[in-house]
Amino acid sequence: MRITGTFIDEISHDIAHQNWGREEWRKDFAHMQAVGIDTVILIRSGYRRFLTYPSPHLMSRFGCYEPPVDLVSMFLELADEFNMAFYFGLYDSGQYWDTGDMTGEIDANRYVVDEVWQRYGHHKSFKGWYITHEISRRTKGAIEAFSELGKHCKAISGNLPTLISPWIDGKKAVDASLGTLTKEQAVSVREHEREWAEIFDGISGAIDAVAFQDGHIDYHELDAFFSVNKALGDKYGLSCWTNAESFDRDMPIRFLPIKFEKLRLKLEAARRAGYDKAITFEFSHFMSPQSAYLQAGHLYNRYKEYIATL
Amino acid sequence: MRITGTFIDEISHDIAHQNWGREEWRKDFAHMQAVGIDTVILIRSGYRRFLTYPSPHLMSRFGCYEPPVDLVSMFLELADEFNMAFYFGLYDSGQYWDTGDMTGEIDANRYVVDEVWQRYGHHKSFKGWYITHEISRRTKGAIEAFSELGKHCKAISGNLPTLISPWIDGKKAVDASLGTLTKEQAVSVREHEREWAEIFDGISGAIDAVAFQDGHIDYHELDAFFSVNKALGDKYGLSCWTNAESFDRDMPIRFLPIKFEKLRLKLEAARRAGYDKAITFEFSHFMSPQSAYLQAGHLYNRYKEYIATL
Amino acid sequence: MRITGTFIDEISHDIAHQNWGREEWRKDFAHMQAVGIDTVILIRSGYRRFLTYPSPHLMSRFGCYEPPVDLVSMFLELADEFNMAFYFGLYDSGQYWDTGDMTGEIDANRYVVDEVWQRYGHHKSFKGWYITHEISRRTKGAIEAFSELGKHCKAISGNLPTLISPWIDGKKAVDASLGTLTKEQAVSVREHEREWAEIFDGISGAIDAVAFQDGHIDYHELDAFFSVNKALGDKYGLSCWTNAESFDRDMPIRFLPIKFEKLRLKLEAARRAGYDKAITFEFSHFMSPQSAYLQAGHLYNRYKEYIATL
């Protein structure tokens, strides 16, 4: 199973910034293309006060800082140039998820979607929307938010596809800033199936594809969870992608590139489950030959050798 | 606002060592000079048993190890060569700060100052003293220690300037070795003002410049704290510098180079507040083209582009 | 004291993988040889489900994954080529150490030793066995396990030497994934001596060399612990090696290359204690010119300068 998409994590919760300029990004798109990546997904257009593009609405509504560079424009131009599909990731205010009332988050993102479609919708590479909010199990208010935002994105853009990337509440689903690597109370396959059936039912028609993050469960659990995900996707009409994490959740440094063997185990499980597409979080830190983490360049080489055998 | 000074962190509490020799250091001074740095500040000449120069006093008094290289001599020679000002950072025994009685720490440093001035005072680049002890709010015994040590430094050296670099007890003032990134009990601007008025009053005349670390508060709080700092400096006759931290306090890896956008926000706040000088902690790990953290080289390039627009 | 051996940490508990292929490994053996390394020690042949060689026994017994590359074969071929001694590290199931009953672990490793000796015993570089289980003080069941496994290794291989590398339960003996760097309850030199006398007595004849990890105690404690270790080794007929850790236990990033000065302090203490050999954990991440951690290349240079003066 080849990785054909990657997130772009320019406003990150937990990955240190590489401080690339346009020149480095242009080279990275070439590196991506050389291993078959045709889709780039902006993981979020903003988080709290930091933005990827100078949104008048968000700067006045949330006191966001004007960014030094319009990254949305830059990524779209590069995606145009490299014939890639660009998915725009929505804004995360960081203010509503704990409250259970997502009205403010939905309202803010309606503005963002309208603003962005007007500013950037003409790019030939603008091919989809990524609902940025990462949820698991029954995050309160998530179904309604995903459903409303997904429908709004599709309505304004002539039905462009919408994507989400939730996490499985497995044993490695722990806070990255804390010391522990695993927890005791992991979800079972059956609970996962029951809870996600309800979510998929609620978002069906508004969301086109779901790319579960593959790093929160153990490697020998992949087949069981993946087959449930695929069956749910088929039943509720959602494409099933895998978000093959290319960083290593098992190490005390959070986070460095993953051991190739682990990535291979995950991609092969996705292939066995009949998944529709593999994307990764994310190429530029963890798989790129020009990453600040030199292990990433070696992972790139190992991955290239691997796909040459497929 | 241009960064014109940097700390040198060769005995570090929390930044992994780069194992540079003289050749790498010489290159780094050239990289510094190329972006306008004219001042290097040795952050400490020793900490507990580790030393930057073979101090007979500290080796016999505290059982310190004889260092493989005389770094003080090397840095002074390089500063001489590159026409930079060198500030000598005092010794931190690590033994007295929790006790509230700083007598031992003051006594040890009187010896150090005398010893160092005798050994190295002839260097044309020896231009100031850095009282290495990092305090915040009303650290017990700090005023007396800063005042006595500052006066002693100035008296022996023909009134060379003295510098301190305290931290603001903001929401990011957390222990680097712990898992959390923020805390609930942060100081308010008004408490900060009241407490630092008392400190500035007590050290006035002994300390010439104060460079608050800029990384413990949120970016939208910068203006409020900086304007208070500047007003206090003006009132009590201290120069107000900013210690623009070039590492990122918001990430689980502690510590990697900061996202350029964040550094820019902090420098621009310092400019708006009318600060006198900007220094950074620190160039060689976090902004240098030859740093082991390759993100630093990209930060160097982004910073160079930025100062070209000023 | 020169470092003449290194671990190879290709199945790691806590060091992120470099994703090297055969080409990078071949270069690394050359880098090792250039500074006098004549011994490579595979730290473990497998841990839980991950393996370094495709063991039919372990894949069926423990559900291990088939590895993408036979690393044991590759390392032996490289050791043959570079005239080095290769020590094979046993398998760690991760299942028995907490139970106090090591029968399952011993049984699994009897199979592994037989299997490995049959597959790889013909290599001229196959020169010893490393009992991979890292213990300290009186780990329950350790004496019996070490004794039985050591004897089995020696019996099957014409008495090839056996090595262990335990840790001293010092102040830095803390869980790498937790936030703290030190603990209060460290072992005293006298307790260490009493407890290890019992262990050495129990493993004498089955284990030929013991290489205590040198990083869990403070630098000024090295002489006291090392002289006890050497005296115990002499008394019970075990060679006394030092495992000179080349990573830094004092920093919040776990783990990056050590400051050269610290490595030098540890090697000189081992020399003073009359140790027989110095090995390191480990060259490829922390001392290699091609390590992903660029500090390692500088450590290599500082170390080369140092050994040139011996």
Side-chain angles (χ1 to χ4, degrees), chain A residues 179 220 253 258 260 298 302, chain C residues 18-19 21 49 65 177 254:
Chain A
H220 63 274
I253 298 186
I258 200 169
F260 167 66
H298 295 295
R302 298 295 83 75
Chain C
Q18 304 207 76
N19 289 309
R49 292 174 187 259
Y65 313 123
S177 69
R254 289 178 180 162

Side-chain angles (χ1 to χ4, degrees), chain A residues 82-97:
Chain A
F82 285 89
N83 288 307
M84 290 186 184
F86 175 88
Y87 278 62
F88 177 85
L90 301 191
Y91 171 72
D92 182 352
S93 75
Q95 295 190 7
Y96 299 102
W97 285 95

Side-chain angles (χ1 to χ4, degrees), chain B residues 10-12 14-21 24 49-50 65-68 176-177 253-255 292-294, chain C residues 178-181 218-220 250-253 256-262 264-265 294-295 298-299 301-302:
Chain B
E10 273 296 270
I11 292 190
S12 184
D14 46 18
I15 313 292
H17 203 267
Q18 303 206 77
N19 288 308
W20 287 354
E24 288 82 19
R49 292 174 187 260
F50 285 97
Y65 313 122
E66 181 167 0
S177 70
I253 298 186
R254 289 178 180 161
F255 297 101
Y293 306 131
L294 299 183
Chain C
L178 298 183
T180 49
L181 294 172
D218 212 336
Y219 305 95
H220 63 274
D250 306 329
M251 296 290 141
I253 297 186
L256 293 182
I258 200 169
K259 185 181 185 180
F260 167 66
E261 180 179 4
K262 296 177 178 177
R264 198 190 64 154
L265 285 171
L294 299 182
Q295 303 95 335
H298 295 295
L299 178 58
N301 292 333
R302 299 294 85 73

Side-chain angles (χ1 to χ4, degrees), chain A residues 178-181 218-221 248 250-254 256-262 264-265 292-296 298-299 301-302 305, chain C residues 10-21 24 49-51 65-68 176-179 253-256 290-294:
Chain A
L178 298 183
T180 49
L181 295 173
D218 213 335
Y219 304 95
H220 63 274
E221 300 174 311
D248 204 315
D250 306 330
M251 295 290 140
I253 298 186
R254 289 176 180 163
L256 293 182
I258 200 169
K259 185 180 185 181
F260 167 66
E261 180 179 3
K262 295 177 179 178
R264 197 190 64 153
L265 285 171
Y293 306 131
L294 300 182
Q295 303 95 336
H298 295 295
L299 178 57
N301 292 334
R302 298 295 83 75
E305 293 163 5
Chain C
E10 273 295 269
I11 291 190
S12 184
H13 292 158
D14 46 17
I15 313 292
H17 203 267
Q18 304 207 76
N19 289 309
W20 287 354
E24 287 84 17
R49 292 174 187 259
F50 285 97
L51 297 179
Y65 313 123
E66 180 167 1
S177 69
L178 298 183
I253 297 186
R254 289 178 180 162
F255 296 100
L256 293 182
Q290 66 176 353
S291 167
Y293 306 131
L294 299 182

